[in-house]
Amino acid sequence: MTTMLWKPSADRIQQTNMYRFIMQVNDQFNKQFTSYPEVYQWSIDHITDFWSTFWDFSKIIYHQPYEQVIDDIKKMPMAKWFIGAKLNFAENLLRYRDDHVAIAFKSEQGPVRTITYADLYDTVSRLATSLKEYGIKPGDRISGFMPNIPETVIAMLATASLGAIWSSCSPDFGEKGVLDRFGQIQPKIVFSADGYIYKGKPLDSLKRVSTIIKQIPSIEKVIIIPFLDAQPNLSPFSEKACLFNDFIAKTSPSSFHFEYMDFNDPLYIMFTSGTTGLPKCMVQSAGGILINHLKEHLLHTDVKRNDTIFYFTTCGWMMWNWLVSGLSTGATIVLFDGNPFYPGPEVLWNMAEELHISIFGTSAAYISALEKSGLSPGKQFNLSALKTILSTGSPLSHDGFHYVYQHIKSDVQLSSISGGTDLNGCFALGNPIGPVFTGELQCRGLGMKVEAFDEFGKSLLNKQGELVCTAPFPSMPIYFWNDPDQCKYHAAYFDRFPGVWCHGDFIEINERGGVTIYGRSDATLNPGGVRIGTAEIYRQLEQFPQIEDSIVIGQDWKNDVRVILFIKLVQGETLTDKLKRDIVNSIRTNASPRHVPAKIISVPDVPYTLNMKKVELAVKKVIHNQPVLNKDALRNPEALAFFSNIKELEEE
């Protein structure tokens, strides 16, 4: 049952950026909006008015103003936004140049390292000057094979300041995973640390980098950041490698100038997970990412200059890009590199107390694991600064919602958010002036015309359907790399409903405007021809302490589909008949008889992508004896072997 868990006070509402924005809309358009649903409806009915108003509200730094908000509001995809505007993404993230802390960095080992906005600007400008002197120009690709450290942010900002294009992979990617990505876009320069630390162990990166650059002929230089060793061995790279400090040694920030680009010029190349073949390379615009991230930070997350914002992420996940954009608000962003449970489950909360984190972002899987660990952060740490918790990556269970309010903090805005790498942002997310209900994302994003469609393209309310967006938005990819006829782009989003973005999530929108995510629509189950979401089954498993993890798929069986549930048990537990009965009873009672699995099978591990998402489709392929094309996109590809030739799947 859905219950209200939190509601902001009137005083808190009036202090939010969202409230100020609504007042600006009221003044400018002679409205009397008092609630989020009213301003949301206005934002999708008057999309150009919304984005132009937010442009003014966000105080975007530009060199030349726009002449037109959008060339054609009915053009989907390939609409052009803020035509005529000239700006620089990095300049907007470096608008503050004072002694306020811009970045706080914590690794598994050593003290917190901080960088002020003044120091950040100076270092970025020195690196940008060196890159420009080297010959980097707008449109060149620069890539990072980096841990989540300040130099990664610095390298991205320097790249963007010159109008070049940034892409990144985290150092836990294997050689083939990196080649599948960087090999397609042919970068000119690669930034790499000499290694990283995970679970207390130093792990080398240079051996992989030296192999990678031999197979990508476009790479002219590798810039190495010492992280494990003050003097890393560069001999395998011959003349191609140099140390970061040596590269910038001869430059000063005095002669630095930002390169002004069109709003729709490229900034990032983001990659799909690549579990069904080569990763798709999605090109995103500087202006589109900037204005969308500003909207999500300022309005939906209520970030202010005195905030300290953290998101647990790697540089291979779009939440890293999202977090770094927090610099545009003047807040302090917190980078963490390492395992969030090493040496124990308290590590991130100890950091939250030390750094006075006010906005704490993580994944639903982390919250579930934290709950199973038995930790109560609210009792063990001073979290008085904490005002917002963000969760994404997969649907947050009802138990996860309750755990946050019972064991972390009762007076906190818990925002479950959902979007994708494709848009580098959210379709549904937080609303700081609205209540939080169990299992629900608070609202659809302003300016995002999100609906749930049935199979015939009819909009649904209080019923499950496909997540679609029926109007363009600024952060849509401007194109896919190496896709001149846009075939890959159209196939990814527009083949199902022409002219409508079909995202691939199975959702329900209720009469309050709240959104429930039921999982990926291509992984939904169809027993008896009725579509049900995998999240509804996962939710029921949260209550079983014997279960560490699980994955559910549909098996083709006798001209129908039957539900198969695989569970990973906590060490020392066994899958008894009683546990099976308890699981079945819980699913039947709290979901429906259709959700009850035909088989419950114990497996030693569950496969995940490098971005920590369950690969239901890959497991489904394995049990149907179909090839999984790109196992290098998986964090633990060896886990797939457990799903081959399971005798129980051949039985009634």
Side-chain angles (χ1 to χ4, degrees):
M1 181 179 177
T2 297
T3 56
M4 185 190 297
L5 296 172
W6 178 84
K7 186 178 181 180
S9 66
D11 286 344
R12 179 163 175 164
I13 289 173
Q14 292 180 8
Q15 294 171 15
T16 63
N17 293 323
M18 181 73 80
Y19 180 83
R20 289 195 303 110
F21 178 73
I22 293 174
M23 294 303 103
Q24 180 171 319
V25 171
N26 287 345
D27 290 344
Q28 190 169 334
F29 296 94
N30 194 28
K31 302 293 183 182
Q32 295 181 333
F33 298 145
T34 59
S35 68
Y36 183 84
E38 291 173 310
V39 76
Y40 172 74
Q41 191 62 47
W42 170 82
S43 79
I44 61 171
D45 289 342
H46 305 276
I47 288 175
T48 57
D49 287 341
F50 164 71
W51 286 110
S52 64
T53 304
F54 182 71
W55 174 286
D56 296 335
F57 181 86
S58 64
K59 295 181 170 56
I60 284 177
I61 299 170
Y62 57 87
H63 180 66
Q64 185 172 300
Y66 64 87
E67 299 166 0
Q68 186 180 4
V69 174
I70 189 172
D71 61 349
D72 186 353
I73 194 64
K74 296 180 181 179
K75 194 176 181 181
M76 183 86 135
M78 311 312 287
K80 300 294 184 185
W81 288 87
F82 293 97
I83 298 159
K86 296 277 189 180
L87 52 74
N88 186 275
F89 179 83
E91 184 178 22
N92 278 273
L93 271 62
L94 296 169
R95 66 175 70 202
Y96 297 98
R97 299 168 192 175
D98 53 22
D99 291 335
H100 190 78
V101 174
I103 300 174
F105 167 64
K106 183 76 174 71
S107 68
E108 288 185 358
Q109 300 177 2
V112 171
R113 172 188 168 199
T114 60
I115 300 175
T116 67
Y117 272 92
D119 289 340
L120 179 62
Y121 175 82
D122 285 352
T123 308
V124 169
S125 60
R126 291 177 66 196
L127 176 58
T129 300
S130 298
L131 290 170
K132 189 170 185 178
E133 290 176 354
Y134 182 79
I136 295 300
K137 59 186 183 302
D140 284 343
R141 277 80 65 206
I142 295 179
S143 296
F145 183 58
M146 296 277 283
N148 189 16
I149 60 178
E151 286 77 11
T152 314
V153 179
I154 290 165
M156 182 279 288
L157 290 172
T159 299
S161 74
L162 299 176
I165 306 172
W166 175 261
S167 67
S168 61
C169 292
S170 59
D172 54 354
F173 277 51
E175 287 176 13
K176 188 175 185 302
V178 178
L179 289 168
D180 284 349
R181 289 158 174 80
F182 295 170
Q184 292 189 72
I185 65 171
Q186 296 291 301
K188 198 169 185 177
I189 290 179
V190 169
F191 285 84
S192 176
D194 59 339
Y196 62 104
I197 298 170
Y198 195 78
K199 289 188 177 180
K201 297 179 181 179
L203 299 167
D204 176 75
S205 293
L206 295 185
K207 183 178 179 181
R208 274 174 294 161
V209 175
S210 64
T211 302
I212 288 163
I213 65 171
K214 292 173 184 175
Q215 299 181 65
I216 304 178
S218 65
I219 298 174
E220 298 176 3
K221 185 168 284 294
V222 181
I223 300 173
I224 304 295
I225 293 87
F227 187 62
L228 299 180
D229 189 339
Q231 292 294 326
N233 178 20
L234 304 187
S235 59
F237 299 92
S238 64
E239 74 285 351
K240 279 194 173 183
C242 68
L243 295 179
F244 181 89
N245 286 339
D246 292 341
F247 188 72
I248 66 172
K250 297 179 181 179
T251 58
S252 69
S254 58
S255 59
F256 173 67
H257 298 285
F258 292 100
E259 186 79 29
Y260 291 107
M261 309 292 290
D262 287 342
F263 184 94
N264 298 284
D265 280 343
L267 167 73
Y268 290 140
I269 297 177
M270 307 294 291
F271 305 103
T272 59
S273 61
T275 52
T276 57
L278 274 179
K280 297 179 183 69
C281 307
M282 302 171 290
V283 185
Q284 300 171 341
S285 72
I289 296 302
L290 176 64
I291 198 167
N292 189 60
H293 281 180
L294 276 167
K295 180 199 74 172
E296 295 184 0
H297 281 282
L298 291 174
L299 301 185
H300 290 282
T301 316
D302 197 38
V303 181
K304 299 186 177 74
R305 183 131 212 245
N306 61 355
D307 278 315
T308 299
I309 178 170
F310 165 72
Y311 218 103
F312 177 68
T313 181
T314 70
C315 303
W317 190 21
M318 53 82 51
M319 293 313 301
W320 179 85
N321 307 76
W322 189 91
L323 172 63
V324 173
S325 287
L327 294 169
S328 63
T329 69
T332 299
I333 67 168
V334 176
L335 311 178
F336 174 83
D337 195 70
N339 185 291
F341 284 89
Y342 181 84
E346 72 287 343
V347 61
L348 295 185
W349 299 101
N350 188 37
M351 183 181 73
E353 177 182 88
E354 180 182 1
L355 298 179
H356 307 288
I357 290 172
S358 54
I359 300 167
F360 185 104
T362 187
S363 65
Y366 171 81
I367 292 174
S368 175
L370 196 68
E371 180 182 7
K372 284 181 167 58
S373 76
L375 189 74
S376 292
K379 296 178 181 178
Q380 296 173 238
F381 299 96
N382 180 357
L383 303 179
S384 57
L386 187 63
K387 68 175 187 180
T388 304
I389 295 175
L390 308 174
S391 170
T392 193
S394 59
L396 182 62
S397 69
H398 284 230
D399 285 350
F401 273 81
H402 287 293
Y403 171 78
V404 166
Y405 283 99
Q406 292 171 5
H407 294 278
I408 299 179
K409 194 171 185 179
S410 59
D411 183 20
V412 70
Q413 179 192 355
L414 172 57
S415 296
S416 181
I417 64 178
S418 181
T421 304
D422 333 61
L423 60 149
N424 214 319
C426 302
F427 282 122
L429 66 173
N431 169 20
I433 66 171
V436 173
F437 291 86
T438 51
E440 288 183 17
L441 288 68
Q442 287 180 282
C443 64
R444 291 165 285 176
L446 291 172
M448 309 293 275
K449 201 169 183 179
V450 173
E451 301 178 53
F453 268 15
D454 67 12
E455 62 268 34
F456 304 109
K458 179 183 176 182
S459 188
L460 303 170
L461 187 67
N462 294 317
K463 292 183 179 179
Q464 297 176 23
E466 292 277 356
L467 189 162
V468 300
C469 193
T470 59
F473 48 92
S475 66
M476 292 173 63
I478 48 178
Y479 53 88
F480 282 11
W481 198 260
N482 294 328
D483 184 30
D485 55 4
Q486 301 175 27
C487 285
K488 294 178 184 177
Y489 194 171
H490 278 269
Y493 313 110
F494 298 102
D495 279 359
R496 181 83 186 273
F497 304 107
V500 172
W501 178 293
C502 186
H503 192 60
D505 280 343
F506 201 44
I507 71 165
E508 181 177 332
I509 302 169
N510 62 38
E511 68 281 352
R512 293 190 304 272
V515 178
T516 303
I517 307 289
Y518 292 100
R520 293 292 297 169
S521 59
D522 53 9
T524 54
L525 310 170
N526 293 275
V530 178
R531 298 182 77 193
I532 59 177
T534 55
E536 297 170 280
I537 296 175
Y538 294 134
R539 185 180 302 156
Q540 306 312 318
L541 304 178
E542 295 287 338
Q543 63 185 291
F544 293 95
Q546 308 98 312
I547 300 175
E548 181 177 327
D549 205 350
S550 61
I551 192 164
V552 60
I553 56 94
Q555 181 191 18
D556 297 335
W557 186 258
K558 295 186 176 179
N559 299 315
D560 199 353
V561 173
R562 63 177 184 177
V563 178
I564 306 296
L565 172 62
F566 298 100
I567 59 173
K568 177 184 178 181
L569 293 164
V570 172
Q571 188 172 1
E573 297 286 347
T574 56
L575 182 56
T576 63
D577 289 340
K578 181 181 184 304
L579 179 56
K580 286 184 179 181
R581 288 195 300 270
D582 290 345
I583 292 170
V584 166
N585 289 336
S586 177
I587 293 172
R588 178 181 286 114
T589 302
N590 298 311
S592 82
R594 289 190 180 275
H595 291 77
V596 173
K599 298 281 184 180
I600 302 175
I601 300 169
S602 176
V603 291
D605 202 5
V606 171
Y608 280 82
T609 67
L610 290 163
N611 293 336
M612 289 308 293
K613 293 184 179 181
K614 295 179 185 182
V615 284
E616 294 160 323
L617 289 179
V619 171
K620 185 175 180 178
K621 283 177 178 288
V622 170
I623 70 165
H624 288 106
N625 297 313
Q626 298 171 354
V628 178
L629 298 179
N630 196 354
K631 296 180 182 179
D632 291 276
L634 302 182
R635 182 176 295 271
N636 53 339
E638 68 281 356
L640 282 179
F642 304 135
F643 298 88
S644 299
N645 303 315
I646 298 177
K647 292 183 179 180
E648 292 165 275
L649 294 177
E650 300 172 4
E651 303 169 352
E652 290 287 349

